[in-house]
Amino acid sequence: MSRTVTVGVDDSAESRAAAEWAAREALLRGLPLKIMSVSEPSPRFLARSPLLDPDTYRHWAEQVTSRSADGIRLRHPGIEVITEQLTGTPADILCEAAGLSELLVLGSRALRGLGGFMVGSVSLGVVARAERPVVLVRAGEQAADEHDRDPAGAPSAVTPFRPVVLGLDIDQADDTLLEFAFDAAARRKAPLRIVHAWPEPPTSFYRFAGDAELYDSLERGQATLLSKVVLPWQQRFPHVEVMEASRCGSAAEVLVDDSRDASLVVVGRRIRTRSFGARIGHVTHSALHHIAAPVAVVAHS
């Protein structure tokens, strides 16, 4: 079975933006786009709305999928579009779909009046469990948001892509994560900014003599380690311009700050097999809640 770029839709502004992003990604990858909606067997709101019986609800879900597909075919005539409407627990169905896809795309909504985003329980559950890449897209995301402005300063979808940003822990630098980020940058002909954060020296709180020399030594050492990790991938993707950013500070804060001009942000999630269940790390969690650009979460061992 050939892989697809799969997007989950539910007729929200977030899922419409996700479908458009998924269509553009399918074009970049030369893959079919699968548009999927998932109906719960007995949605809770049906009990409070007697005018919506289960058959009506299923018909509505099918219409959501078909309308989304018709719009994508109209705006992106070069894409093969497949539709699928399933019944079951959304997080379970979407996780299964992710396993059969090149990547899964979902929507994520903004928190009104606050500088952050809300990741719904379904999206968060899928991100925490899926073993294939999952991309979360904000409502209102448009193609021009991923590109530099034109010479007149206006938004454009035909100018070069903004950088792809990779948040990397060099102590756990996984090949799956690095390959996804380099491949994403190569397909976009975009620079790849690799962001690595390291902790402040333990003596800096007390401002001991020699702190400046210690800091400089740590900075050089961390930058050297980052370059050693990145070098084999630069050789494998020689046409990708790489920008290495090794900074002192909180990994979550450094990544969010360095992602303000990103077209796509790539973060990792370690696959855990312990009995207490799936989870995401605090850096990935922060990226999902505070970065405006699409965020790709790549599961790795």
Side-chain angles (χ1 to χ4, degrees):
M1 181 184 296
S2 63
R3 289 193 176 272
T4 63
V5 173
T6 300
V7 58
V9 298
D10 61 6
D11 202 31
S12 65
E14 297 79 30
S15 75
R16 289 193 291 272
E20 286 295 325
W21 189 92
R24 299 194 297 272
E25 188 68 15
L27 277 173
L28 284 174
R29 293 174 178 267
L31 292 174
L33 173 67
K34 179 184 285 188
I35 300 176
M36 171 183 288
S37 64
V38 183
S39 304
E40 296 184 70
S42 300
R44 290 186 297 272
F45 65 81
L46 289 183
R48 303 192 299 272
S49 183
L51 296 179
L52 279 177
D53 58 64
D55 288 339
T56 302
Y57 175 67
R58 280 191 293 272
H59 177 70
W60 172 82
E62 290 168 1
Q63 288 293 103
V64 167
T65 308
S66 62
R67 284 199 303 269
S68 179
D70 290 344
I72 293 297
R73 291 187 182 105
L74 180 65
R75 292 183 292 276
H76 305 279
I79 301 177
E80 177 187 353
V81 180
I82 306 164
T83 62
E84 190 170 25
Q85 204 278 316
L86 299 175
T87 301
T89 303
D92 293 342
I93 296 293
L94 291 169
C95 278
E96 184 177 350
L100 300 173
S101 306
E102 193 73 12
L103 72 162
L104 175 69
V105 186
L106 301 172
S108 180
R109 68 174 64 94
L111 290 171
R112 295 184 182 274
L114 296 176
F117 298 90
M118 180 166 57
V119 183
S121 59
V122 172
S123 296
L124 200 58
V126 174
V127 166
R129 292 165 51 195
E131 297 191 2
R132 295 290 300 169
V134 179
V135 180
L136 294 191
V137 179
R138 316 303 183 190
E141 169 72 19
Q142 299 180 11
D145 297 331
E146 301 168 21
H147 294 258
D148 294 331
R149 290 181 174 266
D150 69 15
S156 172
V158 297
T159 54
F161 275 93
R162 293 179 177 183
V164 173
V165 175
L166 167 63
L168 185 65
D169 179 353
I170 61 174
D171 293 327
Q172 300 177 349
D174 186 85
D175 287 350
T176 303
L177 179 63
L178 283 156
E179 182 174 24
F180 184 96
F182 269 90
D183 180 71
R187 291 180 187 278
R188 290 163 172 77
K189 297 181 174 62
L192 175 61
R193 182 184 301 141
I194 302 178
V195 179
H196 161 61
W198 46 278
E200 193 172 9
T203 62
S204 62
F205 177 79
Y206 301 100
R207 299 293 183 262
F208 287 163
D211 273 358
E213 291 80 1
L214 174 60
Y215 181 93
D216 289 344
S217 175
L218 288 171
E219 186 176 41
R220 290 192 300 272
Q222 291 293 318
T224 299
L225 290 173
L226 176 59
S227 295
K228 286 181 179 179
V229 170
V230 171
L231 180 59
W233 292 95
Q234 284 184 291
Q235 295 170 339
R236 183 172 171 181
F237 291 86
H239 300 299
V240 174
E241 177 190 352
V242 177
M243 301 178 288
E244 298 175 16
S246 180
R247 309 193 192 286
C248 176
S250 158
E253 292 178 3
V254 167
L255 178 61
V256 170
D257 188 59
D258 273 30
S259 299
R260 300 186 189 281
D261 64 341
S263 63
L264 175 69
V265 177
V266 183
V267 291
R269 180 189 69 81
R270 182 168 292 278
I271 298 172
R272 301 179 186 274
T273 57
R274 297 190 182 98
S275 59
F276 54 74
R279 60 182 293 273
I280 63 175
H282 76 281
V283 176
T284 297
H285 195 275
S286 181
L288 294 176
H289 283 275
H290 296 289
I291 292 175
V295 177
V297 182
V298 180
H300 59 85
S301 58

CSV table of all heavy atoms in Angstrom, one decimal, residues 34-83:
chain,number,residue,atom,x,y,z
A,34,LYS,N,-5.0,11.9,1.8
A,34,LYS,CA,-6.2,11.3,2.3
A,34,LYS,C,-6.8,12.2,3.3
A,34,LYS,O,-6.2,12.7,4.3
A,34,LYS,CB,-5.8,10.0,3.0
A,34,LYS,CG,-7.1,9.3,3.6
A,34,LYS,CD,-6.7,8.0,4.4
A,34,LYS,CE,-6.4,6.9,3.5
A,34,LYS,NZ,-6.2,5.6,4.2
A,35,ILE,N,-8.1,12.5,3.1
A,35,ILE,CA,-8.9,13.4,4.0
A,35,ILE,C,-9.8,12.5,4.7
A,35,ILE,O,-10.7,11.7,4.2
A,35,ILE,CB,-9.7,14.4,3.2
A,35,ILE,CG1,-8.7,15.3,2.4
A,35,ILE,CG2,-10.5,15.3,4.1
A,35,ILE,CD1,-9.4,16.3,1.5
A,36,MET,N,-9.7,12.5,6.1
A,36,MET,CA,-10.4,11.5,6.9
A,36,MET,C,-11.2,12.3,8.0
A,36,MET,O,-10.7,13.2,8.6
A,36,MET,CB,-9.4,10.6,7.6
A,36,MET,CG,-9.9,9.7,8.7
A,36,MET,SD,-8.6,8.8,9.5
A,36,MET,CE,-8.3,7.6,8.1
A,37,SER,N,-12.4,11.8,8.2
A,37,SER,CA,-13.2,12.3,9.4
A,37,SER,C,-13.6,11.0,10.2
A,37,SER,O,-13.7,9.9,9.6
A,37,SER,CB,-14.4,13.0,9.0
A,37,SER,OG,-15.3,12.2,8.3
A,38,VAL,N,-13.7,11.2,11.5
A,38,VAL,CA,-14.0,10.1,12.4
A,38,VAL,C,-15.2,10.5,13.2
A,38,VAL,O,-15.3,11.5,13.9
A,38,VAL,CB,-12.8,9.9,13.4
A,38,VAL,CG1,-13.2,8.7,14.3
A,38,VAL,CG2,-11.5,9.6,12.6
A,39,SER,N,-16.3,9.6,13.1
A,39,SER,CA,-17.5,9.8,13.9
A,39,SER,C,-17.5,8.9,15.1
A,39,SER,O,-17.2,7.7,15.0
A,39,SER,CB,-18.7,9.5,13.0
A,39,SER,OG,-18.7,10.3,11.8
A,40,GLU,N,-17.8,9.5,16.2
A,40,GLU,CA,-17.9,8.7,17.4
A,40,GLU,C,-19.2,7.9,17.3
A,40,GLU,O,-20.2,8.4,16.8
A,40,GLU,CB,-17.9,9.6,18.7
A,40,GLU,CG,-16.6,10.3,18.9
A,40,GLU,CD,-16.7,11.1,20.2
A,40,GLU,OE1,-16.7,10.4,21.3
A,40,GLU,OE2,-16.7,12.3,20.2
A,41,PRO,N,-19.3,6.7,17.9
A,41,PRO,CA,-20.5,5.9,17.7
A,41,PRO,C,-21.7,6.6,18.3
A,41,PRO,O,-22.8,6.6,17.8
A,41,PRO,CB,-20.2,4.6,18.5
A,41,PRO,CG,-18.7,4.6,18.5
A,41,PRO,CD,-18.2,6.0,18.5
A,42,SER,N,-21.6,7.2,19.5
A,42,SER,CA,-22.7,7.9,20.1
A,42,SER,C,-22.2,9.2,20.7
A,42,SER,O,-21.9,9.4,21.9
A,42,SER,CB,-23.3,7.1,21.3
A,42,SER,OG,-23.8,5.8,20.8
A,43,PRO,N,-22.1,10.3,19.8
A,43,PRO,CA,-21.6,11.6,20.3
A,43,PRO,C,-22.4,12.1,21.5
A,43,PRO,O,-23.7,12.0,21.5
A,43,PRO,CB,-21.7,12.5,19.1
A,43,PRO,CG,-21.8,11.5,17.9
A,43,PRO,CD,-22.4,10.3,18.4
A,44,ARG,N,-21.8,12.7,22.5
A,44,ARG,CA,-22.5,13.1,23.7
A,44,ARG,C,-23.5,14.2,23.4
A,44,ARG,O,-24.6,14.2,24.0
A,44,ARG,CB,-21.5,13.7,24.7
A,44,ARG,CG,-20.5,12.6,25.3
A,44,ARG,CD,-19.7,13.2,26.4
A,44,ARG,NE,-18.8,14.2,25.9
A,44,ARG,CZ,-17.6,14.0,25.4
A,44,ARG,NH1,-17.1,12.7,25.3
A,44,ARG,NH2,-16.8,14.9,24.9
A,45,PHE,N,-23.3,15.0,22.4
A,45,PHE,CA,-24.2,16.1,22.2
A,45,PHE,C,-25.5,15.7,21.6
A,45,PHE,O,-26.5,16.4,21.6
A,45,PHE,CB,-23.6,17.2,21.3
A,45,PHE,CG,-23.3,16.8,19.9
A,45,PHE,CD1,-24.2,16.8,18.9
A,45,PHE,CD2,-22.0,16.5,19.6
A,45,PHE,CE1,-23.9,16.4,17.6
A,45,PHE,CE2,-21.7,16.1,18.3
A,45,PHE,CZ,-22.6,16.1,17.3
A,46,LEU,N,-25.6,14.4,21.0
A,46,LEU,CA,-26.8,13.9,20.4
A,46,LEU,C,-27.9,13.8,21.5
A,46,LEU,O,-29.1,14.0,21.2
A,46,LEU,CB,-26.6,12.6,19.8
A,46,LEU,CG,-25.8,12.6,18.5
A,46,LEU,CD1,-25.8,11.2,17.9
A,46,LEU,CD2,-26.4,13.6,17.5
A,47,ALA,N,-27.5,13.4,22.7
A,47,ALA,CA,-28.5,13.3,23.8
A,47,ALA,C,-29.2,14.6,24.1
A,47,ALA,O,-30.3,14.7,24.6
A,47,ALA,CB,-27.9,12.7,25.0
A,48,ARG,N,-28.4,15.7,23.9
A,48,ARG,CA,-29.0,17.0,24.2
A,48,ARG,C,-29.6,17.7,23.0
A,48,ARG,O,-30.1,18.8,23.1
A,48,ARG,CB,-27.9,17.9,24.8
A,48,ARG,CG,-27.1,17.4,26.0
A,48,ARG,CD,-26.2,18.5,26.6
A,48,ARG,NE,-25.2,18.9,25.7
A,48,ARG,CZ,-24.0,18.4,25.5
A,48,ARG,NH1,-23.7,17.3,26.2
A,48,ARG,NH2,-23.2,18.9,24.7
A,49,SER,N,-29.6,17.0,21.8
A,49,SER,CA,-30.1,17.6,20.6
A,49,SER,C,-30.9,16.6,19.9
A,49,SER,O,-30.4,15.9,19.0
A,49,SER,CB,-28.9,18.1,19.8
A,49,SER,OG,-29.4,18.8,18.6
A,50,PRO,N,-32.2,16.4,20.2
A,50,PRO,CA,-33.0,15.4,19.6
A,50,PRO,C,-33.2,15.5,18.1
A,50,PRO,O,-33.6,14.6,17.5
A,50,PRO,CB,-34.4,15.6,20.4
A,50,PRO,CG,-34.3,17.0,20.9
A,50,PRO,CD,-32.9,17.3,21.2
A,51,LEU,N,-32.9,16.7,17.6
A,51,LEU,CA,-33.1,16.9,16.1
A,51,LEU,C,-31.9,16.2,15.3
A,51,LEU,O,-32.0,16.1,14.1
A,51,LEU,CB,-33.1,18.4,15.8
A,51,LEU,CG,-34.3,19.2,16.3
A,51,LEU,CD1,-34.2,20.6,15.9
A,51,LEU,CD2,-35.6,18.6,15.8
A,52,LEU,N,-30.8,15.9,16.1
A,52,LEU,CA,-29.7,15.2,15.4
A,52,LEU,C,-29.7,13.8,15.8
A,52,LEU,O,-29.1,13.4,16.8
A,52,LEU,CB,-28.4,15.9,15.8
A,52,LEU,CG,-28.0,17.2,15.1
A,52,LEU,CD1,-26.7,17.8,15.7
A,52,LEU,CD2,-27.8,17.0,13.6
A,53,ASP,N,-30.2,12.9,15.0
A,53,ASP,CA,-30.1,11.5,15.2
A,53,ASP,C,-28.8,11.0,14.7
A,53,ASP,O,-28.1,11.6,13.9
A,53,ASP,CB,-31.3,10.8,14.6
A,53,ASP,CG,-31.4,11.0,13.1
A,53,ASP,OD1,-30.5,10.5,12.4
A,53,ASP,OD2,-32.4,11.6,12.7
A,54,PRO,N,-28.4,9.7,15.0
A,54,PRO,CA,-27.1,9.2,14.6
A,54,PRO,C,-27.0,9.2,13.1
A,54,PRO,O,-25.9,9.5,12.6
A,54,PRO,CB,-27.1,7.8,15.2
A,54,PRO,CG,-28.0,7.9,16.4
A,54,PRO,CD,-29.1,8.9,16.0
A,55,ASP,N,-28.0,8.9,12.3
A,55,ASP,CA,-27.9,8.9,10.9
A,55,ASP,C,-27.6,10.3,10.3
A,55,ASP,O,-26.8,10.5,9.4
A,55,ASP,CB,-29.2,8.3,10.3
A,55,ASP,CG,-29.3,6.8,10.5
A,55,ASP,OD1,-28.3,6.2,10.7
A,55,ASP,OD2,-30.5,6.3,10.4
A,56,THR,N,-28.3,11.3,10.9
A,56,THR,CA,-28.1,12.7,10.5
A,56,THR,C,-26.6,13.1,10.8
A,56,THR,O,-26.0,13.7,10.0
A,56,THR,CB,-29.1,13.6,11.2
A,56,THR,OG1,-30.4,13.2,10.9
A,56,THR,CG2,-28.8,15.1,10.8
A,57,TYR,N,-26.2,12.7,11.9
A,57,TYR,CA,-24.8,13.0,12.3
A,57,TYR,C,-23.8,12.4,11.4
A,57,TYR,O,-22.8,13.0,10.9
A,57,TYR,CB,-24.5,12.5,13.8
A,57,TYR,CG,-23.1,12.7,14.2
A,57,TYR,CD1,-22.6,14.0,14.4
A,57,TYR,CD2,-22.3,11.6,14.5
A,57,TYR,CE1,-21.3,14.2,14.8
A,57,TYR,CE2,-21.0,11.8,14.9
A,57,TYR,CZ,-20.5,13.0,15.1
A,57,TYR,OH,-19.2,13.2,15.5
A,58,ARG,N,-24.0,11.1,11.0
A,58,ARG,CA,-23.1,10.4,10.1
A,58,ARG,C,-23.1,11.1,8.7
A,58,ARG,O,-22.1,11.3,8.1
A,58,ARG,CB,-23.4,8.9,10.0
A,58,ARG,CG,-22.9,8.1,11.2
A,58,ARG,CD,-23.0,6.6,10.8
A,58,ARG,NE,-24.5,6.2,10.8
A,58,ARG,CZ,-25.2,5.8,11.8
A,58,ARG,NH1,-24.6,5.8,13.0
A,58,ARG,NH2,-26.4,5.5,11.7
A,59,HIS,N,-24.3,11.5,8.3
A,59,HIS,CA,-24.4,12.2,7.0
A,59,HIS,C,-23.7,13.5,7.1
A,59,HIS,O,-23.0,13.9,6.1
A,59,HIS,CB,-25.9,12.4,6.7
A,59,HIS,CG,-26.1,13.2,5.4
A,59,HIS,ND1,-25.8,12.6,4.1
A,59,HIS,CD2,-26.5,14.5,5.2
A,59,HIS,CE1,-26.0,13.5,3.2
A,59,HIS,NE2,-26.5,14.6,3.8
A,60,TRP,N,-23.8,14.2,8.2
A,60,TRP,CA,-23.1,15.5,8.3
A,60,TRP,C,-21.6,15.3,8.2
A,60,TRP,O,-20.8,16.0,7.6
A,60,TRP,CB,-23.4,16.1,9.6
A,60,TRP,CG,-22.6,17.3,10.0
A,60,TRP,CD1,-22.8,18.6,9.5
A,60,TRP,CD2,-21.4,17.4,10.8
A,60,TRP,NE1,-21.8,19.4,10.1
A,60,TRP,CE2,-21.0,18.7,10.8
A,60,TRP,CE3,-20.8,16.4,11.6
A,60,TRP,CZ2,-19.8,19.1,11.6
A,60,TRP,CZ3,-19.6,16.8,12.3
A,60,TRP,CH2,-19.2,18.1,12.3
A,61,ALA,N,-21.1,14.2,8.9
A,61,ALA,CA,-19.6,13.9,8.9
A,61,ALA,C,-19.1,13.6,7.5
A,61,ALA,O,-18.1,14.0,7.1
A,61,ALA,CB,-19.3,12.8,9.9
A,62,GLU,N,-20.0,12.8,6.8
A,62,GLU,CA,-19.6,12.5,5.4
A,62,GLU,C,-19.5,13.8,4.5
A,62,GLU,O,-18.7,13.9,3.6
A,62,GLU,CB,-20.6,11.5,4.8
A,62,GLU,CG,-20.5,10.1,5.4
A,62,GLU,CD,-21.7,9.2,5.1
A,62,GLU,OE1,-22.6,9.7,4.3
A,62,GLU,OE2,-21.7,8.1,5.5
A,63,GLN,N,-20.5,14.7,4.8
A,63,GLN,CA,-20.5,15.9,4.0
A,63,GLN,C,-19.2,16.8,4.3
A,63,GLN,O,-18.7,17.4,3.4
A,63,GLN,CB,-21.8,16.7,4.3
A,63,GLN,CG,-23.0,16.2,3.8
A,63,GLN,CD,-23.0,16.2,2.3
A,63,GLN,OE1,-22.8,15.2,1.6
A,63,GLN,NE2,-23.3,17.4,1.7
A,64,VAL,N,-18.8,16.8,5.5
A,64,VAL,CA,-17.6,17.5,5.9
A,64,VAL,C,-16.4,17.0,5.1
A,64,VAL,O,-15.6,17.8,4.5
A,64,VAL,CB,-17.3,17.4,7.4
A,64,VAL,CG1,-15.9,17.9,7.7
A,64,VAL,CG2,-18.3,18.1,8.2
A,65,THR,N,-16.3,15.7,5.0
A,65,THR,CA,-15.2,15.1,4.3
A,65,THR,C,-15.3,15.4,2.8
A,65,THR,O,-14.3,15.8,2.1
A,65,THR,CB,-15.2,13.6,4.5
A,65,THR,OG1,-15.2,13.3,5.9
A,65,THR,CG2,-13.9,13.0,3.9
A,66,SER,N,-16.5,15.2,2.2
A,66,SER,CA,-16.6,15.4,0.7
A,66,SER,C,-16.4,16.9,0.4
A,66,SER,O,-15.8,17.2,-0.7
A,66,SER,CB,-17.9,14.9,0.3
A,66,SER,OG,-19.0,15.6,0.9
A,67,ARG,N,-16.9,17.9,1.2
A,67,ARG,CA,-16.7,19.3,0.9
A,67,ARG,C,-15.3,19.7,0.9
A,67,ARG,O,-14.8,20.4,0.1
A,67,ARG,CB,-17.5,20.1,1.9
A,67,ARG,CG,-19.0,20.2,1.6
A,67,ARG,CD,-19.7,21.4,2.3
A,67,ARG,NE,-19.4,21.4,3.7
A,67,ARG,CZ,-20.2,20.8,4.6
A,67,ARG,NH1,-21.3,20.2,4.2
A,67,ARG,NH2,-19.9,20.9,5.9
A,68,SER,N,-14.6,19.1,1.9
A,68,SER,CA,-13.1,19.4,2.1
A,68,SER,C,-12.4,18.9,0.8
A,68,SER,O,-11.5,19.6,0.3
A,68,SER,CB,-12.6,18.8,3.3
A,68,SER,OG,-11.2,19.1,3.5
A,69,ALA,N,-12.7,17.7,0.4
A,69,ALA,CA,-12.1,17.1,-0.7
A,69,ALA,C,-12.4,17.9,-2.0
A,69,ALA,O,-11.4,18.1,-2.8
A,69,ALA,CB,-12.5,15.6,-0.9
A,70,ASP,N,-13.6,18.3,-2.2
A,70,ASP,CA,-14.0,19.1,-3.4
A,70,ASP,C,-13.2,20.4,-3.5
A,70,ASP,O,-12.7,20.8,-4.5
A,70,ASP,CB,-15.5,19.3,-3.4
A,70,ASP,CG,-16.3,18.1,-3.7
A,70,ASP,OD1,-15.7,17.1,-4.1
A,70,ASP,OD2,-17.5,18.1,-3.4
A,71,GLY,N,-13.0,21.0,-2.3
A,71,GLY,CA,-12.3,22.3,-2.3
A,71,GLY,C,-10.8,22.1,-2.6
A,71,GLY,O,-10.2,22.8,-3.3
A,72,ILE,N,-10.2,21.0,-2.0
A,72,ILE,CA,-8.8,20.7,-2.3
A,72,ILE,C,-8.6,20.4,-3.8
A,72,ILE,O,-7.6,20.9,-4.4
A,72,ILE,CB,-8.3,19.5,-1.4
A,72,ILE,CG1,-8.3,19.9,0.0
A,72,ILE,CG2,-6.9,19.1,-1.9
A,72,ILE,CD1,-7.4,21.0,0.4
A,73,ARG,N,-9.5,19.6,-4.4
A,73,ARG,CA,-9.3,19.3,-5.8
A,73,ARG,C,-9.4,20.5,-6.7
A,73,ARG,O,-8.8,20.6,-7.7
A,73,ARG,CB,-10.4,18.3,-6.2
A,73,ARG,CG,-10.3,16.9,-5.6
A,73,ARG,CD,-11.3,15.9,-6.2
A,73,ARG,NE,-11.1,14.6,-5.6
A,73,ARG,CZ,-12.0,14.1,-4.7
A,73,ARG,NH1,-13.0,14.8,-4.3
A,73,ARG,NH2,-11.8,12.9,-4.2
A,74,LEU,N,-10.3,21.5,-6.3
A,74,LEU,CA,-10.4,22.7,-7.0
A,74,LEU,C,-9.2,23.6,-6.9
A,74,LEU,O,-8.7,24.1,-8.0
A,74,LEU,CB,-11.7,23.4,-6.5
A,74,LEU,CG,-12.0,24.8,-7.2
A,74,LEU,CD1,-12.4,24.5,-8.7
A,74,LEU,CD2,-13.1,25.5,-6.5
A,75,ARG,N,-8.7,23.7,-5.7
A,75,ARG,CA,-7.5,24.6,-5.5
A,75,ARG,C,-6.2,24.0,-5.9
A,75,ARG,O,-5.2,24.7,-6.1
A,75,ARG,CB,-7.5,25.1,-4.1
A,75,ARG,CG,-8.7,26.0,-3.7
A,75,ARG,CD,-8.6,26.6,-2.3
A,75,ARG,NE,-8.8,25.5,-1.3
A,75,ARG,CZ,-10.0,25.1,-0.9
A,75,ARG,NH1,-11.1,25.7,-1.4
A,75,ARG,NH2,-10.1,24.2,0.0
A,76,HIS,N,-6.1,22.6,-5.8
A,76,HIS,CA,-4.9,21.9,-6.1
A,76,HIS,C,-5.1,20.8,-7.0
A,76,HIS,O,-5.1,19.6,-6.6
A,76,HIS,CB,-4.3,21.4,-4.8
A,76,HIS,CG,-4.1,22.4,-3.7
A,76,HIS,ND1,-3.0,23.2,-3.6
A,76,HIS,CD2,-4.9,22.7,-2.6
A,76,HIS,CE1,-3.1,24.0,-2.6
A,76,HIS,NE2,-4.2,23.8,-2.0
A,77,PRO,N,-5.4,21.1,-8.3
A,77,PRO,CA,-5.8,20.0,-9.3
A,77,PRO,C,-4.7,18.9,-9.5
A,77,PRO,O,-5.1,17.9,-10.0
A,77,PRO,CB,-6.1,20.8,-10.5
A,77,PRO,CG,-5.3,22.1,-10.4
A,77,PRO,CD,-5.3,22.4,-8.9
A,78,GLY,N,-3.5,19.1,-9.1
A,78,GLY,CA,-2.5,18.1,-9.3
A,78,GLY,C,-2.4,17.0,-8.3
A,78,GLY,O,-1.6,16.1,-8.4
A,79,ILE,N,-3.3,17.1,-7.3
A,79,ILE,CA,-3.2,16.1,-6.2
A,79,ILE,C,-4.2,15.0,-6.3
A,79,ILE,O,-5.4,15.3,-6.6
A,79,ILE,CB,-3.4,16.8,-4.8
A,79,ILE,CG1,-2.4,17.9,-4.6
A,79,ILE,CG2,-3.4,15.8,-3.7
A,79,ILE,CD1,-2.6,18.7,-3.3
A,80,GLU,N,-3.8,13.8,-6.1
A,80,GLU,CA,-4.8,12.7,-6.0
A,80,GLU,C,-5.4,12.8,-4.5
A,80,GLU,O,-4.7,12.7,-3.6
A,80,GLU,CB,-4.1,11.4,-6.2
A,80,GLU,CG,-5.1,10.2,-6.0
A,80,GLU,CD,-4.3,8.8,-6.0
A,80,GLU,OE1,-3.1,8.8,-6.3
A,80,GLU,OE2,-5.0,7.8,-5.7
A,81,VAL,N,-6.7,12.9,-4.4
A,81,VAL,CA,-7.4,13.0,-3.2
A,81,VAL,C,-8.2,11.8,-2.9
A,81,VAL,O,-9.0,11.4,-3.7
A,81,VAL,CB,-8.3,14.3,-3.1
A,81,VAL,CG1,-9.0,14.4,-1.8
A,81,VAL,CG2,-7.4,15.6,-3.4
A,82,ILE,N,-8.0,11.2,-1.7
A,82,ILE,CA,-8.8,10.1,-1.2
A,82,ILE,C,-9.6,10.5,0.0
A,82,ILE,O,-9.1,11.3,0.8
A,82,ILE,CB,-7.8,8.9,-0.9
A,82,ILE,CG1,-6.9,8.6,-2.0
A,82,ILE,CG2,-8.6,7.7,-0.4
A,82,ILE,CD1,-5.7,7.8,-1.6
A,83,THR,N,-10.8,10.0,0.1
A,83,THR,CA,-11.6,10.4,1.3
A,83,THR,C,-11.9,9.1,2.1
A,83,THR,O,-12.1,8.0,1.5
A,83,THR,CB,-12.9,11.1,0.9
A,83,THR,OG1,-13.7,10.2,0.1
A,83,THR,CG2,-12.6,12.4,0.2
